[in-house]
Amino acid sequence: MTVEDPRPDAELLAAHISGDPTAFTSLVGRHRDRLWAVALRTTGDPEEAADALQDALLKAHRSADSFRGDAQVTTWLHRIVVNACLDRLRRAKSRPTVPLPEHDSAHPIEPSDPLGRRELAWEIDRALRTLPDDQRAALILIDVEGYSVEEAAALLDIPAGTVKSRCARARAKLVPQLAHLRNRSAPDHVPVSDERSAHPTDRPPGAQP
Amino acid sequence: MSQHHDPVHPDSDHLTAETLADLGLGLLDETSAAHAEHHLAHCADCRALRDQFPALADALADLPDEPMPEPVWQRLSAALADEPVTTPEGSATVVPIEAARQRRWRRPGIGLVAGAAGVALLGAIVVPSIMNASDDSAGVTAASDSSRDDQGTNKVPMAAYAATQSGTKYQEAALDSQVTQLVAARTSVTGDTELVTGSTPSSSPSPTASATSKPTSESPSPSANRSVAAMATDPAAAQACLVGYLDAPDVQPLAIDIGTWRGEPAAIIVLPNDDPALADVFVIDPDCAGPGDPLFYFATVSR
């Protein structure tokens, strides 16, 4: 395991730029679970997430001096990670179609969890994977990571209005899927994906978006 | 737009999840928003659907971080450890720009060695005022120092090179090898060979005369504009930058090349380090001035 480096993020990054050979790894190690969560949720796939993270971290490692200090180091890292994820998703789209695998192994169900938090997270992550990539990325930044619309817009390099509409589309798709989570009483509720396939669209034909 | 037949409420014109999501993010126009609010005021079903949005937001905000699997961390840290940015030897060692500024040659006052030709060159650029008052007194010593040993001939050190214009895309990651190649290609001009090109002074400058003249580094004249183009095509402008900005008139550059840096035109100036195994690389704005600091990047690389 890594030994915690007491220096703040910005100091670690500066030390890395000055040639400290371990500073960058310490910085990444400190935020690795957060970065992994973002990459995993944005890509929806552990393999893609690991590849995207590697792309992103190597890029950040090389271009650390491009960090301007007008943002949090974590925001800067997030931006690089999210964009690396979206890059990989776009490239994956241009490849012959491979169905997005279900990676339940990454989210072991723990029915004994007294709060049901893991199970809820598992349900939500499954639902997130049903969203289009762009909508999912916007939703994760705003609703999961807690960025403001403006921050997310800067991070994704798209207009704030686009962030809002993607986020709205995503929320509108998730609410019907996850409504049962609020007042479920039976543990053997219908899996999200089955429920979704029974309602391929949220609107009848002819309805305006 | 705000009213749809909704599968959640198949028997009436209720608000859709899309409409409610748009409403929540302020995306509806005034009329649609007013209509939706009016409907919500009278429809418990739609209020219930609307109330699921904050519940969703709570659930999303509550999502736990996923612990990064140890194999993934091992792979990532191994990849990072393989990165060659910072090693004691061999690779480019990046230092903050601030430190690079302090690394500029501080042989005080020798910016005036060049005599008439040098003065003309200095006039062609806007030189940051990096010479402070204390430089004056030290100038005499430094200037006489510059006339030592190898300066006996009529070779003027600061003019003994030429800038190339390779257009190379210089990058941090590849800087070490790029500079090595550049220097290798330029060895003919780093030795005591004759001047390749550039501004050959018409006469040998007198060290005493230069020591008494003041650095004419201030001349924000129209000629400053001319140097923007000149730097890319005229080695003399690159040389003037070396004298004026880097304050290193008596240092023989190992190479000067015009290429690009992060998509922008840039001059790469390679100077010898105190350690003969190393070289200092300055990536600098080709007009050597610019609105901000002209120094884009500094690194020490192996030769």
Side-chain angles (χ1 to χ4, degrees):
Chain A
M1 289 304 292
T2 51
V3 179
E4 268 298 308
D5 191 311
R7 288 173 288 181
D9 289 353
E11 243 175 71
L12 280 175
L13 195 63
H16 163 64
I17 294 170
S18 315
D20 183 332
T22 61
F24 191 81
T25 305
S26 298
L27 174 67
V28 171
R30 172 181 300 168
H31 299 292
R32 66 186 206 174
D33 289 350
R34 192 94 191 280
L35 295 172
W36 175 247
V38 171
L40 187 61
R41 293 194 168 112
T42 305
T43 61
D45 178 285
E47 288 299 323
E48 288 287 325
D51 288 347
L53 260 185
Q54 182 163 331
D55 293 349
L57 295 181
L58 292 182
K59 182 177 180 191
H61 189 268
R62 288 180 197 130
S63 61
D65 62 330
S66 71
F67 174 69
R68 287 296 169 223
D70 51 2
Q72 294 288 320
V73 172
T74 46
T75 306
W76 172 75
L77 271 177
H78 267 66
R79 169 203 277 272
I80 297 175
V81 168
V82 169
N83 283 315
C85 290
L86 294 175
D87 276 350
R88 289 203 77 87
L89 291 172
R90 286 184 202 112
R91 270 182 274 152
K93 285 233 161 60
S94 66
R95 291 198 296 263
T97 326
V98 178
L100 196 64
E102 298 286 330
H103 283 275
D104 295 348
S105 58
H107 306 273
I109 307 176
E110 299 168 24
S112 57
D113 180 352
L115 297 176
R117 194 161 176 247
R118 295 295 316 171
E119 192 181 354
L120 178 61
W122 180 78
E123 292 280 357
I124 293 175
D125 281 332
R126 281 193 67 143
L128 285 174
R129 290 203 291 274
T130 68
L131 297 173
D133 298 334
D134 288 344
Q135 294 178 12
R136 182 171 60 243
L139 184 89
I140 285 168
L141 289 175
I142 301 286
D143 284 348
V144 180
E145 297 296 311
Y147 285 100
S148 71
V149 170
E150 288 71 26
E151 286 168 332
L155 220 136
L156 296 170
D157 201 21
I158 56 176
T162 308
V163 173
K164 281 190 189 178
S165 63
R166 286 181 185 172
C167 197
R169 296 281 82 74
R171 287 180 186 172
K173 290 191 177 91
L174 289 185
V175 154
Q177 291 192 55
L178 298 171
H180 66 284
L181 293 176
R182 291 191 65 217
N183 40 18
R184 65 201 157 130
S185 49
D188 56 342
H189 52 273
V190 184
V192 170
S193 56
D194 293 352
E195 182 181 81
R196 181 176 171 77
S197 62
H199 301 280
T201 62
D202 293 330
R203 287 183 306 257
Q208 294 301 309
Chain B
M1 190 73 71
S2 61
Q3 282 192 308
H4 294 295
H5 184 80
D6 193 305
V8 179
H9 312 284
D11 55 343
S12 65
D13 282 342
H14 286 297
L15 302 175
T16 63
E18 283 78 10
T19 302
L20 288 166
D22 285 350
L23 181 67
L25 280 163
L27 290 170
L28 294 183
D29 62 55
E30 250 181 72
T31 313
S32 304
H35 189 99
E37 294 286 5
H38 178 79
H39 181 93
L40 280 170
H42 297 89
C43 177
D45 283 351
C46 283
R47 282 199 299 276
L49 182 59
R50 179 196 60 186
D51 291 344
Q52 290 179 19
F53 282 86
L56 171 70
D58 287 348
L60 289 169
D62 259 3
L63 278 179
D65 283 349
E66 289 290 329
M68 181 184 285
E70 197 58 29
V72 174
W73 174 244
Q74 295 300 336
R75 173 184 152 188
L76 292 177
S77 27
L80 288 174
D82 281 348
E83 275 296 285
V85 171
T86 55
T87 59
E89 69 216 70
S91 302
T93 301
V94 179
V95 301
I97 293 291
E98 201 51 50
R101 279 193 202 100
Q102 291 160 9
R103 289 288 300 268
R104 281 183 304 198
W105 270 253
R106 282 287 192 175
R107 302 289 185 84
I110 343 181
L112 30 108
V113 164
V119 168
L121 289 170
L122 285 167
I125 62 168
V126 178
V127 180
S129 68
I130 53 177
M131 306 211 181
N132 46 44
S134 65
D135 289 346
D136 286 341
S137 55
V140 177
T141 320
S144 52
D145 185 43
S146 75
S147 65
R148 71 193 183 281
D149 48 46
D150 60 327
Q151 321 267 318
T153 70
N154 65 350
K155 177 166 74 73
V156 179
M158 56 172 288
Y161 63 85
T164 51
Q165 197 172 352
S166 70
T168 302
K169 290 180 181 172
Y170 288 95
Q171 300 171 330
E172 286 123 320
L175 196 61
D176 199 41
S177 60
Q178 287 176 325
V179 167
T180 302
Q181 282 178 16
L182 177 62
V183 171
R186 294 296 311 278
T187 44
S188 63
V189 293
T190 58
D192 285 337
T193 56
E194 60 182 20
L195 308 185
V196 175
T197 176
S199 60
T200 307
S202 53
S203 65
S204 175
S206 153
T208 25
S210 65
T212 51
S213 66
K214 196 76 184 78
T216 54
S217 51
E218 67 289 339
S219 64
S221 59
S223 60
N225 291 330
R226 195 170 55 80
S227 71
V228 176
M231 182 73 166
T233 54
D234 179 7
Q239 171 183 317
C241 185
L242 186 68
V243 174
Y245 180 73
L246 297 177
D247 201 10
D250 63 337
V251 176
Q252 289 264 9
L254 299 171
I256 296 184
D257 186 37
I258 308 296
T260 63
W261 182 260
R262 294 176 187 153
E264 300 291 333
I268 305 334
I269 301 180
V270 186
L271 300 182
N273 188 283
D274 290 341
D275 181 342
L278 303 176
D280 290 321
V281 182
F282 296 81
V283 183
I284 201 159
D285 190 303
D287 71 3
C288 198
D293 192 307
L295 184 63
F296 294 159
Y297 190 78
F298 172 83
T300 299
V301 303
S302 61
R303 290 172 67 171

